[in-house]
Amino acid sequence: MNEKVLTSQALDKKLEQINHDQKRTTRVLVVGAQNSGKQTLMKQLRVFYDGSLLDFDLLKLRNKQDITQNMRSLVALMLNKGYLLPTDLVQQLFTDQSTCPKHILLQLSADPQIKLFMEQNSIPQNAKHSIVNASRLLMMEQHDPFDLNDYLNSNIPLYTVKFNLNKNNYVFINNGSNLSYKWAELFRDVSGIVFVLDICTCFQRDSDGKSQVLTQLQEFDQTINQEYFKNSPIILLLNKFDQIDGLIKKYQFADFFPTYRGGNNQDEICAYVKERFEGLNRQPLKRKVFSFATSLNQAQVVQKLIEVITMVLQKEELRKIGFK
Ligand SMILES: Nc1nc2c(ncn2[C@@H]2O[C@H](COP(=O)(O)OP(=O)(O)OP(=O)(O)O)[C@@H](O)[C@H]2O)c(=O)[nH]1
């Protein structure tokens, strides 16, 4: 067999693999109003399932470890040669931790004795370079190695997250708060739609004095009942549920929903909101709406939620092809 035929066969195989992988990828579209929590969900997915952020962070951490090591070698050399450095800084540099706290490294790298030592002694260029750059590198780091809350509150936009869970590939796509009809066409029969609702909007009024959640009900209706999504299961997240206790203490839910006859408590309010949204599904026999009260800013909640969502989606896929 000549080389060309072999290459072409290899390409065919690769294409087949790509097609196969794409078919096996569960695509999930994340929609919802501004500020509802879509980005928060995406970021949590990125941190716990995708892994690329953690790799990036480990890199930052490694840099910090290198700086600590270099600083330790330099300071040991200086002390041997009789240079004097602040004792408390030196002690903290040599504690057992693999990385020394940033503020100690910064103070040491700015110490005039260190500068003097480097001028008076011939130390390897790369070691010199590493110390001179240490302060720049450390200054550039805005955060300590990794702080989930800092990351969740950052303005770094995130539009897709891919991951593999229980041997299935998933891609979550955040479309922002604008679901134009043209755009929706690209997601025809997507494997699932996650609609994020900020539950606090139930207790907020728009300029007409009506609860803002009424606009969300309309959005939900228009989105899920589009022709393109008529087979896609819907996952409704009543998000920011951690806020509901505070809101109930301040307001009467019935003041916002005159037809509401339930009590002013979490369970009954939650059941009512779920019912209002789920009742808008015009294809109840073809696909379902699964609703959950969530707090997407809490890591443990998101991890449990993703297990449930992925399970629901896999079950729905099986149901569509005839398994009960
Ligand atoms: N208390 C509370 N705050 C939350 C929760 N989820 C998200 N937030 C906060 O709500 C704000 C908006 O969240 P985002 O995830 O940026 O909302 P978004 O839907 O992506 O907003 P846009 O990008 O404007 O469409 C942020 O300050 C989040 O930290 C939650 O469960 N509880």
mmCIF file with all atom_site columns, all heavy atoms in Angstrom, residues 32-41 152-153 174 176-177 239-243 294-298, ligand 1:
data_model
loop_
_atom_site.group_PDB
_atom_site.id
_atom_site.type_symbol
_atom_site.label_atom_id
_atom_site.label_alt_id
_atom_site.label_comp_id
_atom_site.label_asym_id
_atom_site.label_entity_id
_atom_site.label_seq_id
_atom_site.pdbx_PDB_ins_code
_atom_site.Cartn_x
_atom_site.Cartn_y
_atom_site.Cartn_z
_atom_site.occupancy
_atom_site.B_iso_or_equiv
_atom_site.pdbx_formal_charge
_atom_site.auth_seq_id
_atom_site.auth_comp_id
_atom_site.auth_asym_id
_atom_site.auth_atom_id
_atom_site.pdbx_PDB_model_num
ATOM   1   N N   . GLY A 1 32  ? -31.010 32.512 30.494 1.00 0.00 ? 32  GLY A N   1
ATOM   2   C CA  . GLY A 1 32  ? -31.586 33.168 31.683 1.00 0.00 ? 32  GLY A CA  1
ATOM   3   C C   . GLY A 1 32  ? -31.332 34.653 31.627 1.00 0.00 ? 32  GLY A C   1
ATOM   4   O O   . GLY A 1 32  ? -30.482 35.121 30.848 1.00 0.00 ? 32  GLY A O   1
ATOM   5   N N   . ALA A 1 33  ? -32.057 35.401 32.462 1.00 0.00 ? 33  ALA A N   1
ATOM   6   C CA  . ALA A 1 33  ? -31.935 36.859 32.442 1.00 0.00 ? 33  ALA A CA  1
ATOM   7   C C   . ALA A 1 33  ? -30.565 37.288 32.937 1.00 0.00 ? 33  ALA A C   1
ATOM   8   O O   . ALA A 1 33  ? -29.824 36.493 33.525 1.00 0.00 ? 33  ALA A O   1
ATOM   9   C CB  . ALA A 1 33  ? -33.018 37.464 33.319 1.00 0.00 ? 33  ALA A CB  1
ATOM   10  N N   . GLN A 1 34  ? -30.277 38.572 32.718 1.00 0.00 ? 34  GLN A N   1
ATOM   11  C CA  . GLN A 1 34  ? -29.032 39.156 33.226 1.00 0.00 ? 34  GLN A CA  1
ATOM   12  C C   . GLN A 1 34  ? -28.967 38.970 34.728 1.00 0.00 ? 34  GLN A C   1
ATOM   13  O O   . GLN A 1 34  ? -29.995 39.095 35.403 1.00 0.00 ? 34  GLN A O   1
ATOM   14  C CB  . GLN A 1 34  ? -29.048 40.647 32.930 1.00 0.00 ? 34  GLN A CB  1
ATOM   15  C CG  . GLN A 1 34  ? -28.121 40.986 31.806 1.00 0.00 ? 34  GLN A CG  1
ATOM   16  C CD  . GLN A 1 34  ? -28.030 42.487 31.627 1.00 0.00 ? 34  GLN A CD  1
ATOM   17  O OE1 . GLN A 1 34  ? -28.852 43.234 32.132 1.00 0.00 ? 34  GLN A OE1 1
ATOM   18  N NE2 . GLN A 1 34  ? -27.030 42.903 30.899 1.00 0.00 ? 34  GLN A NE2 1
ATOM   19  N N   . ASN A 1 35  ? -27.771 38.649 35.206 1.00 0.00 ? 35  ASN A N   1
ATOM   20  C CA  . ASN A 1 35  ? -27.563 38.601 36.651 1.00 0.00 ? 35  ASN A CA  1
ATOM   21  C C   . ASN A 1 35  ? -28.197 37.402 37.350 1.00 0.00 ? 35  ASN A C   1
ATOM   22  O O   . ASN A 1 35  ? -28.262 37.361 38.568 1.00 0.00 ? 35  ASN A O   1
ATOM   23  C CB  . ASN A 1 35  ? -28.143 39.888 37.284 1.00 0.00 ? 35  ASN A CB  1
ATOM   24  C CG  . ASN A 1 35  ? -27.225 40.391 38.351 1.00 0.00 ? 35  ASN A CG  1
ATOM   25  O OD1 . ASN A 1 35  ? -26.008 40.215 38.239 1.00 0.00 ? 35  ASN A OD1 1
ATOM   26  N ND2 . ASN A 1 35  ? -27.775 40.968 39.400 1.00 0.00 ? 35  ASN A ND2 1
ATOM   27  N N   . SER A 1 36  ? -28.710 36.444 36.557 1.00 0.00 ? 36  SER A N   1
ATOM   28  C CA  . SER A 1 36  ? -29.415 35.328 37.198 1.00 0.00 ? 36  SER A CA  1
ATOM   29  C C   . SER A 1 36  ? -28.454 34.294 37.782 1.00 0.00 ? 36  SER A C   1
ATOM   30  O O   . SER A 1 36  ? -28.816 33.562 38.705 1.00 0.00 ? 36  SER A O   1
ATOM   31  C CB  . SER A 1 36  ? -30.358 34.664 36.196 1.00 0.00 ? 36  SER A CB  1
ATOM   32  O OG  . SER A 1 36  ? -29.652 34.300 35.026 1.00 0.00 ? 36  SER A OG  1
ATOM   33  N N   . GLY A 1 37  ? -27.218 34.222 37.222 1.00 0.00 ? 37  GLY A N   1
ATOM   34  C CA  . GLY A 1 37  ? -26.250 33.259 37.754 1.00 0.00 ? 37  GLY A CA  1
ATOM   35  C C   . GLY A 1 37  ? -25.655 32.327 36.701 1.00 0.00 ? 37  GLY A C   1
ATOM   36  O O   . GLY A 1 37  ? -25.008 31.333 37.040 1.00 0.00 ? 37  GLY A O   1
ATOM   37  N N   . LYS A 1 38  ? -25.842 32.644 35.412 1.00 0.00 ? 38  LYS A N   1
ATOM   38  C CA  . LYS A 1 38  ? -25.343 31.766 34.346 1.00 0.00 ? 38  LYS A CA  1
ATOM   39  C C   . LYS A 1 38  ? -23.819 31.624 34.388 1.00 0.00 ? 38  LYS A C   1
ATOM   40  O O   . LYS A 1 38  ? -23.273 30.521 34.344 1.00 0.00 ? 38  LYS A O   1
ATOM   41  C CB  . LYS A 1 38  ? -25.755 32.317 32.967 1.00 0.00 ? 38  LYS A CB  1
ATOM   42  C CG  . LYS A 1 38  ? -27.243 32.452 32.777 1.00 0.00 ? 38  LYS A CG  1
ATOM   43  C CD  . LYS A 1 38  ? -27.611 33.040 31.439 1.00 0.00 ? 38  LYS A CD  1
ATOM   44  C CE  . LYS A 1 38  ? -27.115 34.445 31.194 1.00 0.00 ? 38  LYS A CE  1
ATOM   45  N NZ  . LYS A 1 38  ? -27.643 35.474 32.103 1.00 0.00 ? 38  LYS A NZ  1
ATOM   46  N N   . GLN A 1 39  ? -23.149 32.780 34.477 1.00 0.00 ? 39  GLN A N   1
ATOM   47  C CA  . GLN A 1 39  ? -21.669 32.750 34.507 1.00 0.00 ? 39  GLN A CA  1
ATOM   48  C C   . GLN A 1 39  ? -21.169 31.994 35.734 1.00 0.00 ? 39  GLN A C   1
ATOM   49  O O   . GLN A 1 39  ? -20.153 31.319 35.683 1.00 0.00 ? 39  GLN A O   1
ATOM   50  C CB  . GLN A 1 39  ? -21.104 34.180 34.533 1.00 0.00 ? 39  GLN A CB  1
ATOM   51  C CG  . GLN A 1 39  ? -21.118 34.886 33.213 1.00 0.00 ? 39  GLN A CG  1
ATOM   52  C CD  . GLN A 1 39  ? -20.084 34.324 32.241 1.00 0.00 ? 39  GLN A CD  1
ATOM   53  O OE1 . GLN A 1 39  ? -19.248 33.502 32.580 1.00 0.00 ? 39  GLN A OE1 1
ATOM   54  N NE2 . GLN A 1 39  ? -20.159 34.761 31.012 1.00 0.00 ? 39  GLN A NE2 1
ATOM   55  N N   . THR A 1 40  ? -21.894 32.147 36.835 1.00 0.00 ? 40  THR A N   1
ATOM   56  C CA  . THR A 1 40  ? -21.480 31.472 38.064 1.00 0.00 ? 40  THR A CA  1
ATOM   57  C C   . THR A 1 40  ? -21.518 29.959 37.844 1.00 0.00 ? 40  THR A C   1
ATOM   58  O O   . THR A 1 40  ? -20.591 29.243 38.228 1.00 0.00 ? 40  THR A O   1
ATOM   59  C CB  . THR A 1 40  ? -22.397 31.883 39.238 1.00 0.00 ? 40  THR A CB  1
ATOM   60  O OG1 . THR A 1 40  ? -22.424 33.308 39.272 1.00 0.00 ? 40  THR A OG1 1
ATOM   61  C CG2 . THR A 1 40  ? -21.911 31.351 40.558 1.00 0.00 ? 40  THR A CG2 1
ATOM   62  N N   . LEU A 1 41  ? -22.570 29.493 37.186 1.00 0.00 ? 41  LEU A N   1
ATOM   63  C CA  . LEU A 1 41  ? -22.672 28.062 36.885 1.00 0.00 ? 41  LEU A CA  1
ATOM   64  C C   . LEU A 1 41  ? -21.503 27.625 35.998 1.00 0.00 ? 41  LEU A C   1
ATOM   65  O O   . LEU A 1 41  ? -20.848 26.616 36.250 1.00 0.00 ? 41  LEU A O   1
ATOM   66  C CB  . LEU A 1 41  ? -24.011 27.766 36.192 1.00 0.00 ? 41  LEU A CB  1
ATOM   67  C CG  . LEU A 1 41  ? -24.169 26.354 35.638 1.00 0.00 ? 41  LEU A CG  1
ATOM   68  C CD1 . LEU A 1 41  ? -24.168 25.318 36.759 1.00 0.00 ? 41  LEU A CD1 1
ATOM   69  C CD2 . LEU A 1 41  ? -25.469 26.211 34.844 1.00 0.00 ? 41  LEU A CD2 1
ATOM   70  N N   . LEU A 1 152 ? -15.325 33.474 41.161 1.00 0.00 ? 152 LEU A N   1
ATOM   71  C CA  . LEU A 1 152 ? -16.761 33.551 40.850 1.00 0.00 ? 152 LEU A CA  1
ATOM   72  C C   . LEU A 1 152 ? -17.208 35.000 40.696 1.00 0.00 ? 152 LEU A C   1
ATOM   73  O O   . LEU A 1 152 ? -18.102 35.295 39.913 1.00 0.00 ? 152 LEU A O   1
ATOM   74  C CB  . LEU A 1 152 ? -17.587 32.859 41.941 1.00 0.00 ? 152 LEU A CB  1
ATOM   75  C CG  . LEU A 1 152 ? -17.420 31.350 42.059 1.00 0.00 ? 152 LEU A CG  1
ATOM   76  C CD1 . LEU A 1 152 ? -18.336 30.797 43.136 1.00 0.00 ? 152 LEU A CD1 1
ATOM   77  C CD2 . LEU A 1 152 ? -17.696 30.645 40.743 1.00 0.00 ? 152 LEU A CD2 1
ATOM   78  N N   . ASN A 1 153 ? -16.566 35.892 41.435 1.00 0.00 ? 153 ASN A N   1
ATOM   79  C CA  . ASN A 1 153 ? -16.979 37.298 41.360 1.00 0.00 ? 153 ASN A CA  1
ATOM   80  C C   . ASN A 1 153 ? -16.238 38.071 40.276 1.00 0.00 ? 153 ASN A C   1
ATOM   81  O O   . ASN A 1 153 ? -16.470 39.256 40.091 1.00 0.00 ? 153 ASN A O   1
ATOM   82  C CB  . ASN A 1 153 ? -16.767 37.981 42.711 1.00 0.00 ? 153 ASN A CB  1
ATOM   83  C CG  . ASN A 1 153 ? -17.794 37.491 43.715 1.00 0.00 ? 153 ASN A CG  1
ATOM   84  O OD1 . ASN A 1 153 ? -18.935 37.291 43.355 1.00 0.00 ? 153 ASN A OD1 1
ATOM   85  N ND2 . ASN A 1 153 ? -17.376 37.267 44.942 1.00 0.00 ? 153 ASN A ND2 1
ATOM   86  N N   . ASN A 1 174 ? -23.083 28.900 27.255 1.00 0.00 ? 174 ASN A N   1
ATOM   87  C CA  . ASN A 1 174 ? -23.818 30.028 27.831 1.00 0.00 ? 174 ASN A CA  1
ATOM   88  C C   . ASN A 1 174 ? -24.071 31.045 26.731 1.00 0.00 ? 174 ASN A C   1
ATOM   89  O O   . ASN A 1 174 ? -23.150 31.615 26.165 1.00 0.00 ? 174 ASN A O   1
ATOM   90  C CB  . ASN A 1 174 ? -22.965 30.668 28.946 1.00 0.00 ? 174 ASN A CB  1
ATOM   91  C CG  . ASN A 1 174 ? -23.589 31.929 29.503 1.00 0.00 ? 174 ASN A CG  1
ATOM   92  O OD1 . ASN A 1 174 ? -24.747 32.230 29.220 1.00 0.00 ? 174 ASN A OD1 1
ATOM   93  N ND2 . ASN A 1 174 ? -22.834 32.663 30.297 1.00 0.00 ? 174 ASN A ND2 1
ATOM   94  N N   . GLY A 1 176 ? -25.547 33.891 27.081 1.00 0.00 ? 176 GLY A N   1
ATOM   95  C CA  . GLY A 1 176 ? -25.816 35.236 27.578 1.00 0.00 ? 176 GLY A CA  1
ATOM   96  C C   . GLY A 1 176 ? -27.314 35.375 27.806 1.00 0.00 ? 176 GLY A C   1
ATOM   97  O O   . GLY A 1 176 ? -28.046 34.385 27.799 1.00 0.00 ? 176 GLY A O   1
ATOM   98  N N   . SER A 1 177 ? -27.800 36.624 27.956 1.00 0.00 ? 177 SER A N   1
ATOM   99  C CA  . SER A 1 177 ? -29.218 36.756 28.308 1.00 0.00 ? 177 SER A CA  1
ATOM   100 C C   . SER A 1 177 ? -30.090 37.001 27.086 1.00 0.00 ? 177 SER A C   1
ATOM   101 O O   . SER A 1 177 ? -31.275 37.256 27.208 1.00 0.00 ? 177 SER A O   1
ATOM   102 C CB  . SER A 1 177 ? -29.372 37.886 29.318 1.00 0.00 ? 177 SER A CB  1
ATOM   103 O OG  . SER A 1 177 ? -28.633 38.990 28.894 1.00 0.00 ? 177 SER A OG  1
ATOM   104 N N   . ASN A 1 239 ? -32.581 29.951 41.214 1.00 0.00 ? 239 ASN A N   1
ATOM   105 C CA  . ASN A 1 239 ? -31.261 30.247 41.806 1.00 0.00 ? 239 ASN A CA  1
ATOM   106 C C   . ASN A 1 239 ? -31.318 31.346 42.872 1.00 0.00 ? 239 ASN A C   1
ATOM   107 O O   . ASN A 1 239 ? -32.315 32.030 43.010 1.00 0.00 ? 239 ASN A O   1
ATOM   108 C CB  . ASN A 1 239 ? -30.293 30.646 40.673 1.00 0.00 ? 239 ASN A CB  1
ATOM   109 C CG  . ASN A 1 239 ? -28.877 30.689 41.155 1.00 0.00 ? 239 ASN A CG  1
ATOM   110 O OD1 . ASN A 1 239 ? -28.470 29.901 42.014 1.00 0.00 ? 239 ASN A OD1 1
ATOM   111 N ND2 . ASN A 1 239 ? -28.092 31.626 40.659 1.00 0.00 ? 239 ASN A ND2 1
ATOM   112 N N   . LYS A 1 240 ? -30.213 31.462 43.593 1.00 0.00 ? 240 LYS A N   1
ATOM   113 C CA  . LYS A 1 240 ? -30.052 32.406 44.717 1.00 0.00 ? 240 LYS A CA  1
ATOM   114 C C   . LYS A 1 240 ? -31.021 32.040 45.852 1.00 0.00 ? 240 LYS A C   1
ATOM   115 O O   . LYS A 1 240 ? -31.574 32.907 46.522 1.00 0.00 ? 240 LYS A O   1
ATOM   116 C CB  . LYS A 1 240 ? -30.223 33.862 44.273 1.00 0.00 ? 240 LYS A CB  1
ATOM   117 C CG  . LYS A 1 240 ? -29.322 34.237 43.092 1.00 0.00 ? 240 LYS A CG  1
ATOM   118 C CD  . LYS A 1 240 ? -29.150 35.709 42.930 1.00 0.00 ? 240 LYS A CD  1
ATOM   119 C CE  . LYS A 1 240 ? -28.365 36.018 41.639 1.00 0.00 ? 240 LYS A CE  1
ATOM   120 N NZ  . LYS A 1 240 ? -28.218 37.414 41.367 1.00 0.00 ? 240 LYS A NZ  1
ATOM   121 N N   . PHE A 1 241 ? -31.247 30.761 46.003 1.00 0.00 ? 241 PHE A N   1
ATOM   122 C CA  . PHE A 1 241 ? -32.172 30.308 47.028 1.00 0.00 ? 241 PHE A CA  1
ATOM   123 C C   . PHE A 1 241 ? -31.671 30.638 48.426 1.00 0.00 ? 241 PHE A C   1
ATOM   124 O O   . PHE A 1 241 ? -32.450 30.712 49.368 1.00 0.00 ? 241 PHE A O   1
ATOM   125 C CB  . PHE A 1 241 ? -32.438 28.805 46.870 1.00 0.00 ? 241 PHE A CB  1
ATOM   126 C CG  . PHE A 1 241 ? -33.848 28.456 47.191 1.00 0.00 ? 241 PHE A CG  1
ATOM   127 C CD1 . PHE A 1 241 ? -34.881 28.810 46.343 1.00 0.00 ? 241 PHE A CD1 1
ATOM   128 C CD2 . PHE A 1 241 ? -34.169 27.805 48.385 1.00 0.00 ? 241 PHE A CD2 1
ATOM   129 C CE1 . PHE A 1 241 ? -36.202 28.537 46.656 1.00 0.00 ? 241 PHE A CE1 1
ATOM   130 C CE2 . PHE A 1 241 ? -35.488 27.531 48.708 1.00 0.00 ? 241 PHE A CE2 1
ATOM   131 C CZ  . PHE A 1 241 ? -36.505 27.888 47.848 1.00 0.00 ? 241 PHE A CZ  1
ATOM   132 N N   . ASP A 1 242 ? -30.366 30.840 48.554 1.00 0.00 ? 242 ASP A N   1
ATOM   133 C CA  . ASP A 1 242 ? -29.801 31.228 49.858 1.00 0.00 ? 242 ASP A CA  1
ATOM   134 C C   . ASP A 1 242 ? -30.369 32.570 50.327 1.00 0.00 ? 242 ASP A C   1
ATOM   135 O O   . ASP A 1 242 ? -30.306 32.901 51.506 1.00 0.00 ? 242 ASP A O   1
ATOM   136 C CB  . ASP A 1 242 ? -28.269 31.295 49.772 1.00 0.00 ? 242 ASP A CB  1
ATOM   137 C CG  . ASP A 1 242 ? -27.787 32.207 48.651 1.00 0.00 ? 242 ASP A CG  1
ATOM   138 O OD1 . ASP A 1 242 ? -28.244 32.034 47.508 1.00 0.00 ? 242 ASP A OD1 1
ATOM   139 O OD2 . ASP A 1 242 ? -26.979 33.106 48.922 1.00 0.00 ? 242 ASP A OD2 1
ATOM   140 N N   . GLN A 1 243 ? -30.952 33.342 49.404 1.00 0.00 ? 243 GLN A N   1
ATOM   141 C CA  . GLN A 1 243 ? -31.463 34.671 49.751 1.00 0.00 ? 243 GLN A CA  1
ATOM   142 C C   . GLN A 1 243 ? -32.914 34.648 50.216 1.00 0.00 ? 243 GLN A C   1
ATOM   143 O O   . GLN A 1 243 ? -33.429 35.637 50.719 1.00 0.00 ? 243 GLN A O   1
ATOM   144 C CB  . GLN A 1 243 ? -31.386 35.596 48.515 1.00 0.00 ? 243 GLN A CB  1
ATOM   145 C CG  . GLN A 1 243 ? -30.006 35.754 47.919 1.00 0.00 ? 243 GLN A CG  1
ATOM   146 C CD  . GLN A 1 243 ? -29.147 36.652 48.781 1.00 0.00 ? 243 GLN A CD  1
ATOM   147 O OE1 . GLN A 1 243 ? -29.523 37.771 49.073 1.00 0.00 ? 243 GLN A OE1 1
ATOM   148 N NE2 . GLN A 1 243 ? -28.004 36.134 49.220 1.00 0.00 ? 243 GLN A NE2 1
ATOM   149 N N   . THR A 1 294 ? -31.709 26.182 43.796 1.00 0.00 ? 294 THR A N   1
ATOM   150 C CA  . THR A 1 294 ? -30.241 26.074 43.910 1.00 0.00 ? 294 THR A CA  1
ATOM   151 C C   . THR A 1 294 ? -29.605 27.363 44.439 1.00 0.00 ? 294 THR A C   1
ATOM   152 O O   . THR A 1 294 ? -30.236 28.422 44.451 1.00 0.00 ? 294 THR A O   1
ATOM   153 C CB  . THR A 1 294 ? -29.583 25.834 42.525 1.00 0.00 ? 294 THR A CB  1
ATOM   154 O OG1 . THR A 1 294 ? -29.955 26.910 41.678 1.00 0.00 ? 294 THR A OG1 1
ATOM   155 C CG2 . THR A 1 294 ? -29.964 24.534 41.917 1.00 0.00 ? 294 THR A CG2 1
ATOM   156 N N   . SER A 1 295 ? -28.349 27.218 44.826 1.00 0.00 ? 295 SER A N   1
ATOM   157 C CA  . SER A 1 295 ? -27.508 28.386 45.123 1.00 0.00 ? 295 SER A CA  1
ATOM   158 C C   . SER A 1 295 ? -26.209 28.127 44.363 1.00 0.00 ? 295 SER A C   1
ATOM   159 O O   . SER A 1 295 ? -25.329 27.424 44.854 1.00 0.00 ? 295 SER A O   1
ATOM   160 C CB  . SER A 1 295 ? -27.217 28.490 46.618 1.00 0.00 ? 295 SER A CB  1
ATOM   161 O OG  . SER A 1 295 ? -28.411 28.700 47.310 1.00 0.00 ? 295 SER A OG  1
ATOM   162 N N   . LEU A 1 296 ? -26.140 28.653 43.166 1.00 0.00 ? 296 LEU A N   1
ATOM   163 C CA  . LEU A 1 296 ? -25.012 28.312 42.287 1.00 0.00 ? 296 LEU A CA  1
ATOM   164 C C   . LEU A 1 296 ? -23.669 28.826 42.797 1.00 0.00 ? 296 LEU A C   1
ATOM   165 O O   . LEU A 1 296 ? -22.629 28.394 42.320 1.00 0.00 ? 296 LEU A O   1
ATOM   166 C CB  . LEU A 1 296 ? -25.269 28.829 40.868 1.00 0.00 ? 296 LEU A CB  1
ATOM   167 C CG  . LEU A 1 296 ? -26.404 28.115 40.130 1.00 0.00 ? 296 LEU A CG  1
ATOM   168 C CD1 . LEU A 1 296 ? -26.686 28.792 38.801 1.00 0.00 ? 296 LEU A CD1 1
ATOM   169 C CD2 . LEU A 1 296 ? -26.082 26.647 39.903 1.00 0.00 ? 296 LEU A CD2 1
ATOM   170 N N   . ASN A 1 297 ? -23.710 29.750 43.751 1.00 0.00 ? 297 ASN A N   1
ATOM   171 C CA  . ASN A 1 297 ? -22.421 30.236 44.274 1.00 0.00 ? 297 ASN A CA  1
ATOM   172 C C   . ASN A 1 297 ? -21.833 29.270 45.311 1.00 0.00 ? 297 ASN A C   1
ATOM   173 O O   . ASN A 1 297 ? -20.746 29.493 45.810 1.00 0.00 ? 297 ASN A O   1
ATOM   174 C CB  . ASN A 1 297 ? -22.558 31.648 44.858 1.00 0.00 ? 297 ASN A CB  1
ATOM   175 C CG  . ASN A 1 297 ? -23.541 31.709 46.004 1.00 0.00 ? 297 ASN A CG  1
ATOM   176 O OD1 . ASN A 1 297 ? -24.281 30.753 46.225 1.00 0.00 ? 297 ASN A OD1 1
ATOM   177 N ND2 . ASN A 1 297 ? -23.547 32.811 46.718 1.00 0.00 ? 297 ASN A ND2 1
ATOM   178 N N   . GLN A 1 298 ? -22.558 28.198 45.623 1.00 0.00 ? 298 GLN A N   1
ATOM   179 C CA  . GLN A 1 298 ? -22.026 27.239 46.599 1.00 0.00 ? 298 GLN A CA  1
ATOM   180 C C   . GLN A 1 298 ? -21.556 25.973 45.898 1.00 0.00 ? 298 GLN A C   1
ATOM   181 O O   . GLN A 1 298 ? -22.343 25.267 45.270 1.00 0.00 ? 298 GLN A O   1
ATOM   182 C CB  . GLN A 1 298 ? -23.099 26.908 47.641 1.00 0.00 ? 298 GLN A CB  1
ATOM   183 C CG  . GLN A 1 298 ? -23.416 28.106 48.526 1.00 0.00 ? 298 GLN A CG  1
ATOM   184 C CD  . GLN A 1 298 ? -24.644 27.901 49.382 1.00 0.00 ? 298 GLN A CD  1
ATOM   185 O OE1 . GLN A 1 298 ? -25.099 26.783 49.564 1.00 0.00 ? 298 GLN A OE1 1
ATOM   186 N NE2 . GLN A 1 298 ? -25.178 28.993 49.892 1.00 0.00 ? 298 GLN A NE2 1
HETATM 187 N N1  . LIG B 2 .   ? -26.412 35.077 46.816 1.00 0.00 ? 1   LIG B N1  1
HETATM 188 C C1  . LIG B 2 .   ? -26.208 34.475 45.649 1.00 0.00 ? 1   LIG B C1  1
HETATM 189 N N2  . LIG B 2 .   ? -25.579 35.160 44.664 1.00 0.00 ? 1   LIG B N2  1
HETATM 190 C C2  . LIG B 2 .   ? -25.377 34.514 43.493 1.00 0.00 ? 1   LIG B C2  1
HETATM 191 C C3  . LIG B 2 .   ? -25.787 33.177 43.271 1.00 0.00 ? 1   LIG B C3  1
HETATM 192 N N3  . LIG B 2 .   ? -25.452 32.834 42.015 1.00 0.00 ? 1   LIG B N3  1
HETATM 193 C C4  . LIG B 2 .   ? -24.869 33.911 41.468 1.00 0.00 ? 1   LIG B C4  1
HETATM 194 N N4  . LIG B 2 .   ? -24.820 34.924 42.354 1.00 0.00 ? 1   LIG B N4  1
HETATM 195 C C5  . LIG B 2 .   ? -24.260 36.286 42.156 1.00 0.00 ? 1   LIG B C5  1
HETATM 196 O O1  . LIG B 2 .   ? -25.096 36.972 41.245 1.00 0.00 ? 1   LIG B O1  1
HETATM 197 C C6  . LIG B 2 .   ? -24.331 37.864 40.436 1.00 0.00 ? 1   LIG B C6  1
HETATM 198 C C7  . LIG B 2 .   ? -24.613 37.615 38.966 1.00 0.00 ? 1   LIG B C7  1
HETATM 199 O O2  . LIG B 2 .   ? -24.179 36.313 38.634 1.00 0.00 ? 1   LIG B O2  1
HETATM 200 P P1  . LIG B 2 .   ? -23.642 35.949 37.175 1.00 0.00 ? 1   LIG B P1  1
HETATM 201 O O3  . LIG B 2 .   ? -23.306 34.495 37.205 1.00 0.00 ? 1   LIG B O3  1
HETATM 202 O O4  . LIG B 2 .   ? -22.602 36.895 36.726 1.00 0.00 ? 1   LIG B O4  1
HETATM 203 O O5  . LIG B 2 .   ? -24.964 36.207 36.339 1.00 0.00 ? 1   LIG B O5  1
HETATM 204 P P2  . LIG B 2 .   ? -25.179 36.080 34.748 1.00 0.00 ? 1   LIG B P2  1
HETATM 205 O O6  . LIG B 2 .   ? -26.527 35.479 34.562 1.00 0.00 ? 1   LIG B O6  1
HETATM 206 O O7  . LIG B 2 .   ? -24.060 35.357 34.091 1.00 0.00 ? 1   LIG B O7  1
HETATM 207 O O8  . LIG B 2 .   ? -25.210 37.598 34.336 1.00 0.00 ? 1   LIG B O8  1
HETATM 208 P P3  . LIG B 2 .   ? -24.931 38.229 32.861 1.00 0.00 ? 1   LIG B P3  1
HETATM 209 O O9  . LIG B 2 .   ? -23.554 37.792 32.449 1.00 0.00 ? 1   LIG B O9  1
HETATM 210 O O10 . LIG B 2 .   ? -25.081 39.692 33.113 1.00 0.00 ? 1   LIG B O10 1
HETATM 211 O O11 . LIG B 2 .   ? -25.999 37.710 31.952 1.00 0.00 ? 1   LIG B O11 1
HETATM 212 C C8  . LIG B 2 .   ? -22.874 37.614 40.814 1.00 0.00 ? 1   LIG B C8  1
HETATM 213 O O12 . LIG B 2 .   ? -22.490 38.603 41.719 1.00 0.00 ? 1   LIG B O12 1
HETATM 214 C C9  . LIG B 2 .   ? -22.897 36.252 41.495 1.00 0.00 ? 1   LIG B C9  1
HETATM 215 O O13 . LIG B 2 .   ? -21.865 36.101 42.451 1.00 0.00 ? 1   LIG B O13 1
HETATM 216 C C10 . LIG B 2 .   ? -26.441 32.475 44.353 1.00 0.00 ? 1   LIG B C10 1
HETATM 217 O O14 . LIG B 2 .   ? -26.830 31.326 44.268 1.00 0.00 ? 1   LIG B O14 1
HETATM 218 N N5  . LIG B 2 .   ? -26.609 33.187 45.504 1.00 0.00 ? 1   LIG B N5  1
#
